[in-house]
mmCIF file of all heavy atoms in Angstrom:
data_model
loop_
_atom_site.group_PDB
_atom_site.id
_atom_site.type_symbol
_atom_site.label_atom_id
_atom_site.label_comp_id
_atom_site.label_asym_id
_atom_site.label_seq_id
_atom_site.Cartn_x
_atom_site.Cartn_y
_atom_site.Cartn_z
ATOM 1 N N TYR A 1 86.498 60.791 52.761
ATOM 2 C CA TYR A 1 86.342 61.857 51.832
ATOM 3 C C TYR A 1 86.701 63.154 52.649
ATOM 4 O O TYR A 1 86.387 63.244 53.779
ATOM 5 C CB TYR A 1 84.757 62.080 51.485
ATOM 6 C CG TYR A 1 84.283 60.952 50.648
ATOM 7 C CD1 TYR A 1 83.678 59.917 51.165
ATOM 8 C CD2 TYR A 1 84.349 61.061 49.208
ATOM 9 C CE1 TYR A 1 83.132 58.812 50.403
ATOM 10 C CE2 TYR A 1 83.923 59.976 48.488
ATOM 11 C CZ TYR A 1 83.234 58.855 48.949
ATOM 12 O OH TYR A 1 82.749 57.862 48.222
ATOM 13 N N ARG A 2 87.334 64.051 51.979
ATOM 14 C CA ARG A 2 87.666 65.330 52.554
ATOM 15 C C ARG A 2 86.929 66.365 51.718
ATOM 16 O O ARG A 2 87.052 66.466 50.541
ATOM 17 C CB ARG A 2 89.175 65.649 52.481
ATOM 18 C CG ARG A 2 89.930 64.766 53.502
ATOM 19 C CD ARG A 2 91.395 65.116 53.396
ATOM 20 N NE ARG A 2 92.100 64.347 54.404
ATOM 21 C CZ ARG A 2 92.613 63.083 54.097
ATOM 22 N NH1 ARG A 2 92.482 62.551 52.965
ATOM 23 N NH2 ARG A 2 93.304 62.496 55.036
ATOM 24 N N VAL A 3 86.035 67.139 52.406
ATOM 25 C CA VAL A 3 85.279 68.119 51.754
ATOM 26 C C VAL A 3 85.548 69.397 52.357
ATOM 27 O O VAL A 3 85.630 69.515 53.639
ATOM 28 C CB VAL A 3 83.693 67.723 51.825
ATOM 29 C CG1 VAL A 3 82.848 68.742 51.268
ATOM 30 C CG2 VAL A 3 83.457 66.271 51.332
ATOM 31 N N ARG A 4 85.619 70.468 51.523
ATOM 32 C CA ARG A 4 85.731 71.716 51.976
ATOM 33 C C ARG A 4 84.660 72.625 51.496
ATOM 34 O O ARG A 4 84.301 72.629 50.299
ATOM 35 C CB ARG A 4 87.156 72.280 51.470
ATOM 36 C CG ARG A 4 87.345 73.820 51.930
ATOM 37 C CD ARG A 4 88.726 74.314 51.645
ATOM 38 N NE ARG A 4 89.232 73.758 50.281
ATOM 39 C CZ ARG A 4 90.181 74.189 49.647
ATOM 40 N NH1 ARG A 4 90.869 75.273 50.124
ATOM 41 N NH2 ARG A 4 90.656 73.669 48.504
ATOM 42 N N GLY A 5 83.988 73.321 52.410
ATOM 43 C CA GLY A 5 82.917 74.172 52.026
ATOM 44 C C GLY A 5 83.103 75.621 52.513
ATOM 45 O O GLY A 5 83.787 75.850 53.524
ATOM 46 N N ILE A 6 82.748 76.555 51.694
ATOM 47 C CA ILE A 6 82.824 77.968 51.977
ATOM 48 C C ILE A 6 81.453 78.611 52.028
ATOM 49 O O ILE A 6 80.654 78.352 51.106
ATOM 50 C CB ILE A 6 83.737 78.787 51.043
ATOM 51 C CG1 ILE A 6 85.060 78.093 51.120
ATOM 52 C CG2 ILE A 6 83.842 80.200 51.433
ATOM 53 C CD1 ILE A 6 86.042 78.574 50.045
ATOM 54 N N GLY A 7 81.066 79.341 53.041
ATOM 55 C CA GLY A 7 79.748 79.897 53.054
ATOM 56 C C GLY A 7 79.616 80.934 54.135
ATOM 57 O O GLY A 7 80.518 81.141 54.943
ATOM 58 N N LEU A 8 78.517 81.684 54.050
ATOM 59 C CA LEU A 8 78.392 82.707 55.067
ATOM 60 C C LEU A 8 77.473 82.237 56.110
ATOM 61 O O LEU A 8 76.454 81.528 55.803
ATOM 62 C CB LEU A 8 77.661 83.957 54.332
ATOM 63 C CG LEU A 8 78.449 84.646 53.277
ATOM 64 C CD1 LEU A 8 77.606 85.684 52.549
ATOM 65 C CD2 LEU A 8 79.716 85.249 53.773
ATOM 66 N N VAL A 9 77.857 82.529 57.320
ATOM 67 C CA VAL A 9 77.016 82.146 58.498
ATOM 68 C C VAL A 9 76.712 83.393 59.300
ATOM 69 O O VAL A 9 77.456 84.290 59.251
ATOM 70 C CB VAL A 9 77.680 81.135 59.350
ATOM 71 C CG1 VAL A 9 77.855 79.765 58.642
ATOM 72 C CG2 VAL A 9 79.032 81.609 59.881
ATOM 73 N N PRO A 10 75.576 83.489 59.968
ATOM 74 C CA PRO A 10 75.172 84.583 60.659
ATOM 75 C C PRO A 10 76.069 84.710 61.918
ATOM 76 O O PRO A 10 76.515 83.682 62.418
ATOM 77 C CB PRO A 10 73.737 84.486 61.135
ATOM 78 C CG PRO A 10 73.493 82.996 60.990
ATOM 79 C CD PRO A 10 74.464 82.465 59.933
ATOM 80 N N PRO A 11 76.440 85.867 62.278
ATOM 81 C CA PRO A 11 77.306 86.021 63.501
ATOM 82 C C PRO A 11 76.535 85.473 64.749
ATOM 83 O O PRO A 11 75.274 85.593 64.828
ATOM 84 C CB PRO A 11 77.463 87.537 63.659
ATOM 85 C CG PRO A 11 76.456 88.200 62.799
ATOM 86 C CD PRO A 11 75.979 87.209 61.792
ATOM 87 N N VAL A 12 77.423 84.951 65.656
ATOM 88 C CA VAL A 12 76.773 84.383 66.853
ATOM 89 C C VAL A 12 76.963 85.336 67.973
ATOM 90 O O VAL A 12 78.051 85.861 68.237
ATOM 91 C CB VAL A 12 77.585 82.922 67.231
ATOM 92 C CG1 VAL A 12 77.046 82.411 68.517
ATOM 93 C CG2 VAL A 12 77.414 82.046 66.112
ATOM 94 N N GLU A 13 75.895 85.661 68.654
ATOM 95 C CA GLU A 13 75.903 86.510 69.690
ATOM 96 C C GLU A 13 75.802 85.744 71.005
ATOM 97 O O GLU A 13 74.801 85.025 71.347
ATOM 98 C CB GLU A 13 74.758 87.497 69.704
ATOM 99 C CG GLU A 13 74.747 88.515 70.781
ATOM 100 C CD GLU A 13 75.953 89.545 70.708
ATOM 101 O OE1 GLU A 13 76.428 89.847 69.525
ATOM 102 O OE2 GLU A 13 76.395 89.922 71.821
ATOM 103 N N LEU A 14 76.951 85.614 71.740
ATOM 104 C CA LEU A 14 76.912 84.837 72.929
ATOM 105 C C LEU A 14 76.224 85.573 74.025
ATOM 106 O O LEU A 14 76.492 86.814 74.253
ATOM 107 C CB LEU A 14 78.391 84.524 73.335
ATOM 108 C CG LEU A 14 79.128 83.637 72.381
ATOM 109 C CD1 LEU A 14 80.550 83.495 72.840
ATOM 110 C CD2 LEU A 14 78.507 82.289 72.313
ATOM 111 N N PRO A 15 75.510 84.969 74.894
ATOM 112 C CA PRO A 15 74.903 85.682 76.027
ATOM 113 C C PRO A 15 75.887 86.141 77.066
ATOM 114 O O PRO A 15 76.828 85.421 77.284
ATOM 115 C CB PRO A 15 73.921 84.590 76.653
ATOM 116 C CG PRO A 15 74.555 83.365 76.208
ATOM 117 C CD PRO A 15 75.251 83.573 74.986
ATOM 118 N N ARG A 16 75.675 87.339 77.626
ATOM 119 C CA ARG A 16 76.519 87.916 78.595
ATOM 120 C C ARG A 16 75.836 87.734 79.915
ATOM 121 O O ARG A 16 74.729 87.750 80.146
ATOM 122 C CB ARG A 16 76.770 89.405 78.293
ATOM 123 C CG ARG A 16 77.562 89.626 77.044
ATOM 124 C CD ARG A 16 77.542 91.110 76.613
ATOM 125 N NE ARG A 16 77.909 91.302 75.331
ATOM 126 C CZ ARG A 16 79.031 92.131 75.054
ATOM 127 N NH1 ARG A 16 79.590 92.768 75.879
ATOM 128 N NH2 ARG A 16 79.365 92.191 73.761
ATOM 129 N N PHE A 17 76.785 87.492 80.875
ATOM 130 C CA PHE A 17 76.267 87.257 82.295
ATOM 131 C C PHE A 17 76.153 88.535 82.987
ATOM 132 O O PHE A 17 76.901 89.399 82.720
ATOM 133 C CB PHE A 17 77.102 86.317 83.069
ATOM 134 C CG PHE A 17 77.130 84.840 82.642
ATOM 135 C CD1 PHE A 17 77.880 84.335 81.497
ATOM 136 C CD2 PHE A 17 76.210 83.925 83.105
ATOM 137 C CE1 PHE A 17 77.779 83.169 81.038
ATOM 138 C CE2 PHE A 17 76.178 82.682 82.726
ATOM 139 C CZ PHE A 17 77.025 82.237 81.676
ATOM 140 N N LYS A 18 75.239 88.757 83.821
ATOM 141 C CA LYS A 18 75.048 89.920 84.567
ATOM 142 C C LYS A 18 75.657 89.740 85.992
ATOM 143 O O LYS A 18 75.644 88.583 86.541
ATOM 144 C CB LYS A 18 73.639 90.393 84.709
ATOM 145 C CG LYS A 18 72.980 90.650 83.281
ATOM 146 C CD LYS A 18 71.913 91.569 83.526
ATOM 147 C CE LYS A 18 71.275 91.874 82.261
ATOM 148 N NZ LYS A 18 71.919 92.589 81.258
ATOM 149 N N ARG A 19 76.111 90.748 86.570
ATOM 150 C CA ARG A 19 76.632 90.721 87.910
ATOM 151 C C ARG A 19 75.453 90.258 88.891
ATOM 152 O O ARG A 19 74.341 90.715 88.779
ATOM 153 C CB ARG A 19 77.192 92.048 88.427
ATOM 154 C CG ARG A 19 78.557 92.277 87.902
ATOM 155 C CD ARG A 19 79.115 93.366 88.639
ATOM 156 N NE ARG A 19 80.443 93.534 88.227
ATOM 157 C CZ ARG A 19 81.288 94.382 88.567
ATOM 158 N NH1 ARG A 19 80.934 95.270 89.556
ATOM 159 N NH2 ARG A 19 82.565 94.436 88.149
ATOM 160 N N THR A 20 75.802 89.379 89.781
ATOM 161 C CA THR A 20 74.758 88.878 90.776
ATOM 162 C C THR A 20 75.070 89.567 92.147
ATOM 163 O O THR A 20 74.154 89.433 93.063
ATOM 164 C CB THR A 20 74.805 87.385 90.923
ATOM 165 O OG1 THR A 20 76.169 86.968 91.411
ATOM 166 C CG2 THR A 20 74.543 86.657 89.654
ATOM 167 N N GLY A 21 76.253 90.084 92.399
ATOM 168 C CA GLY A 21 76.574 90.673 93.610
ATOM 169 C C GLY A 21 77.237 89.642 94.557
ATOM 170 O O GLY A 21 77.505 89.972 95.737
ATOM 171 N N THR A 22 77.525 88.427 94.011
ATOM 172 C CA THR A 22 78.250 87.473 94.927
ATOM 173 C C THR A 22 79.666 87.982 95.174
ATOM 174 O O THR A 22 80.343 88.346 94.290
ATOM 175 C CB THR A 22 78.286 86.049 94.182
ATOM 176 O OG1 THR A 22 76.930 85.635 93.857
ATOM 177 C CG2 THR A 22 78.910 85.083 95.105
ATOM 178 N N THR A 23 80.083 87.900 96.427
ATOM 179 C CA THR A 23 81.368 88.358 96.828
ATOM 180 C C THR A 23 82.408 87.286 96.738
ATOM 181 O O THR A 23 81.975 86.038 96.573
ATOM 182 C CB THR A 23 81.398 88.847 98.240
ATOM 183 O OG1 THR A 23 81.109 87.859 99.149
ATOM 184 C CG2 THR A 23 80.372 89.970 98.363
ATOM 185 N N LEU A 24 83.640 87.566 96.670
ATOM 186 C CA LEU A 24 84.700 86.626 96.687
ATOM 187 C C LEU A 24 84.597 85.763 97.858
ATOM 188 O O LEU A 24 84.811 84.568 97.781
ATOM 189 C CB LEU A 24 86.128 87.345 96.600
ATOM 190 C CG LEU A 24 87.305 86.528 96.220
ATOM 191 C CD1 LEU A 24 87.090 85.883 94.846
ATOM 192 C CD2 LEU A 24 88.551 87.472 96.261
ATOM 193 N N ALA A 25 84.325 86.217 99.023
ATOM 194 C CA ALA A 25 84.188 85.430 100.186
ATOM 195 C C ALA A 25 83.044 84.430 100.169
ATOM 196 O O ALA A 25 83.209 83.307 100.635
ATOM 197 C CB ALA A 25 83.858 86.348 101.421
ATOM 198 N N GLU A 26 81.932 84.761 99.437
ATOM 199 C CA GLU A 26 80.839 83.819 99.275
ATOM 200 C C GLU A 26 81.200 82.707 98.325
ATOM 201 O O GLU A 26 80.571 81.662 98.361
ATOM 202 C CB GLU A 26 79.552 84.606 98.747
ATOM 203 C CG GLU A 26 78.993 85.550 99.790
ATOM 204 C CD GLU A 26 77.978 86.373 99.247
ATOM 205 O OE1 GLU A 26 78.139 86.938 98.137
ATOM 206 O OE2 GLU A 26 76.924 86.550 99.932
ATOM 207 N N ALA A 27 82.127 82.961 97.391
ATOM 208 C CA ALA A 27 82.545 81.892 96.466
ATOM 209 C C ALA A 27 83.526 80.979 97.022
ATOM 210 O O ALA A 27 83.906 79.874 96.537
ATOM 211 C CB ALA A 27 83.022 82.444 95.224
ATOM 212 N N ARG A 28 84.173 81.361 98.192
ATOM 213 C CA ARG A 28 85.207 80.577 98.766
ATOM 214 C C ARG A 28 84.708 79.323 99.434
ATOM 215 O O ARG A 28 83.766 79.354 100.199
ATOM 216 C CB ARG A 28 85.936 81.387 99.812
ATOM 217 C CG ARG A 28 87.237 80.847 100.353
ATOM 218 C CD ARG A 28 87.939 81.808 101.153
ATOM 219 N NE ARG A 28 89.101 81.382 101.707
ATOM 220 C CZ ARG A 28 90.106 82.002 102.098
ATOM 221 N NH1 ARG A 28 90.099 83.401 101.938
ATOM 222 N NH2 ARG A 28 91.209 81.469 102.562
ATOM 223 N N ARG A 29 85.232 78.145 99.130
ATOM 224 C CA ARG A 29 84.876 76.910 99.745
ATOM 225 C C ARG A 29 85.633 76.490 100.914
ATOM 226 O O ARG A 29 85.129 75.970 101.858
ATOM 227 C CB ARG A 29 84.987 75.816 98.661
ATOM 228 C CG ARG A 29 84.031 75.871 97.586
ATOM 229 C CD ARG A 29 84.026 74.756 96.599
ATOM 230 N NE ARG A 29 84.376 73.439 97.216
ATOM 231 C CZ ARG A 29 84.912 72.521 96.595
ATOM 232 N NH1 ARG A 29 85.283 72.538 95.406
ATOM 233 N NH2 ARG A 29 85.206 71.317 97.269
ATOM 234 N N GLU A 30 86.926 76.727 100.776
ATOM 235 C CA GLU A 30 87.953 76.233 101.827
ATOM 236 C C GLU A 30 89.259 76.853 101.586
ATOM 237 O O GLU A 30 89.492 77.657 100.656
ATOM 238 C CB GLU A 30 87.989 74.731 101.777
ATOM 239 C CG GLU A 30 88.516 74.099 100.544
ATOM 240 C CD GLU A 30 88.658 72.656 100.427
ATOM 241 O OE1 GLU A 30 88.929 72.020 101.540
ATOM 242 O OE2 GLU A 30 88.591 72.091 99.418
ATOM 243 N N THR A 31 90.248 76.498 102.514
ATOM 244 C CA THR A 31 91.619 76.815 102.362
ATOM 245 C C THR A 31 92.332 75.485 102.383
ATOM 246 O O THR A 31 92.083 74.533 103.187
ATOM 247 C CB THR A 31 91.980 77.637 103.527
ATOM 248 O OG1 THR A 31 91.267 78.844 103.518
ATOM 249 C CG2 THR A 31 93.540 78.005 103.415
ATOM 250 N N ARG A 32 93.402 75.429 101.492
ATOM 251 C CA ARG A 32 94.258 74.201 101.411
ATOM 252 C C ARG A 32 95.634 74.588 101.479
ATOM 253 O O ARG A 32 96.077 75.756 101.097
ATOM 254 C CB ARG A 32 94.033 73.572 99.973
ATOM 255 C CG ARG A 32 92.755 72.914 99.780
ATOM 256 C CD ARG A 32 92.762 72.074 98.441
ATOM 257 N NE ARG A 32 91.347 71.884 98.043
ATOM 258 C CZ ARG A 32 91.004 71.639 96.823
ATOM 259 N NH1 ARG A 32 91.806 71.750 95.885
ATOM 260 N NH2 ARG A 32 89.691 71.485 96.570
ATOM 261 N N ARG A 33 96.466 73.729 102.061
ATOM 262 C CA ARG A 33 97.964 73.982 102.096
ATOM 263 C C ARG A 33 98.471 73.586 100.787
ATOM 264 O O ARG A 33 98.225 72.464 100.276
ATOM 265 C CB ARG A 33 98.580 73.095 103.213
ATOM 266 C CG ARG A 33 98.492 73.526 104.638
ATOM 267 C CD ARG A 33 98.956 74.843 104.916
ATOM 268 N NE ARG A 33 100.389 74.927 105.252
ATOM 269 C CZ ARG A 33 101.047 76.006 105.405
ATOM 270 N NH1 ARG A 33 100.460 77.183 105.320
ATOM 271 N NH2 ARG A 33 102.328 75.973 105.723
ATOM 272 N N VAL A 34 99.189 74.532 100.114
ATOM 273 C CA VAL A 34 99.655 74.301 98.738
ATOM 274 C C VAL A 34 101.170 74.702 98.741
ATOM 275 O O VAL A 34 101.500 75.681 99.470
ATOM 276 C CB VAL A 34 98.864 75.101 97.776
ATOM 277 C CG1 VAL A 34 99.348 74.959 96.362
ATOM 278 C CG2 VAL A 34 97.366 74.755 97.806
ATOM 279 N N ARG A 35 101.966 74.003 97.976
ATOM 280 C CA ARG A 35 103.319 74.346 97.865
ATOM 281 C C ARG A 35 103.635 74.996 96.514
ATOM 282 O O ARG A 35 103.283 74.579 95.399
ATOM 283 C CB ARG A 35 104.183 72.993 97.941
ATOM 284 C CG ARG A 35 105.694 73.296 97.856
ATOM 285 C CD ARG A 35 106.370 71.925 97.879
ATOM 286 N NE ARG A 35 105.942 71.041 98.935
ATOM 287 C CZ ARG A 35 106.559 70.933 100.162
ATOM 288 N NH1 ARG A 35 107.638 71.604 100.473
ATOM 289 N NH2 ARG A 35 106.157 70.012 101.009
ATOM 290 N N PHE A 36 104.255 76.279 96.637
ATOM 291 C CA PHE A 36 104.758 76.957 95.451
ATOM 292 C C PHE A 36 106.163 77.285 95.653
ATOM 293 O O PHE A 36 106.599 77.819 96.705
ATOM 294 C CB PHE A 36 103.994 78.359 95.382
ATOM 295 C CG PHE A 36 102.558 78.172 94.966
ATOM 296 C CD1 PHE A 36 101.514 78.277 95.851
ATOM 297 C CD2 PHE A 36 102.221 77.994 93.600
ATOM 298 C CE1 PHE A 36 100.157 78.101 95.479
ATOM 299 C CE2 PHE A 36 100.859 77.919 93.207
ATOM 300 C CZ PHE A 36 99.810 77.942 94.178
ATOM 301 N N ASP A 37 107.042 76.858 94.693
ATOM 302 C CA ASP A 37 108.432 77.121 94.808
ATOM 303 C C ASP A 37 109.083 76.610 96.051
ATOM 304 O O ASP A 37 109.850 77.256 96.768
ATOM 305 C CB ASP A 37 108.795 78.560 94.566
ATOM 306 C CG ASP A 37 108.480 79.008 93.129
ATOM 307 O OD1 ASP A 37 108.630 78.114 92.179
ATOM 308 O OD2 ASP A 37 108.081 80.185 92.918
ATOM 309 N N GLY A 38 108.572 75.451 96.540
ATOM 310 C CA GLY A 38 109.082 74.831 97.858
ATOM 311 C C GLY A 38 108.591 75.409 99.017
ATOM 312 O O GLY A 38 108.959 75.014 100.115
ATOM 313 N N GLU A 39 107.707 76.397 98.932
ATOM 314 C CA GLU A 39 107.178 77.068 100.127
ATOM 315 C C GLU A 39 105.668 76.707 100.342
ATOM 316 O O GLU A 39 104.975 76.941 99.408
ATOM 317 C CB GLU A 39 107.416 78.526 100.144
ATOM 318 C CG GLU A 39 106.941 79.218 101.415
ATOM 319 C CD GLU A 39 107.009 80.748 101.209
ATOM 320 O OE1 GLU A 39 107.938 81.178 100.482
ATOM 321 O OE2 GLU A 39 106.293 81.448 101.846
#
């Protein structure tokens, strides 16, 4: 069966994350050798 319904739904408010103060260095796990354009 294919059913189509039309109705009003309340808007969804997605939760926003707050800054924690974590730095880029703190999120870094490691360094890998990667090849981009042959280099």
Side-chain angles (χ1 to χ4, degrees):
Y1 293 92
R2 289 182 179 87
V3 179
R4 180 175 30 166
I6 300 172
L8 298 174
V9 295
V12 176
E13 184 65 34
L14 297 175
R16 296 173 192 233
F17 291 86
K18 299 207 183 292
R19 282 191 173 184
T20 63
T22 304
T23 66
L24 196 55
E26 292 170 316
R28 190 172 180 155
R29 288 184 40 205
E30 63 181 324
T31 300
R32 290 185 199 153
R33 284 301 273 174
V34 179
R35 184 184 308 263
F36 290 100
D37 292 326
E39 182 182 335

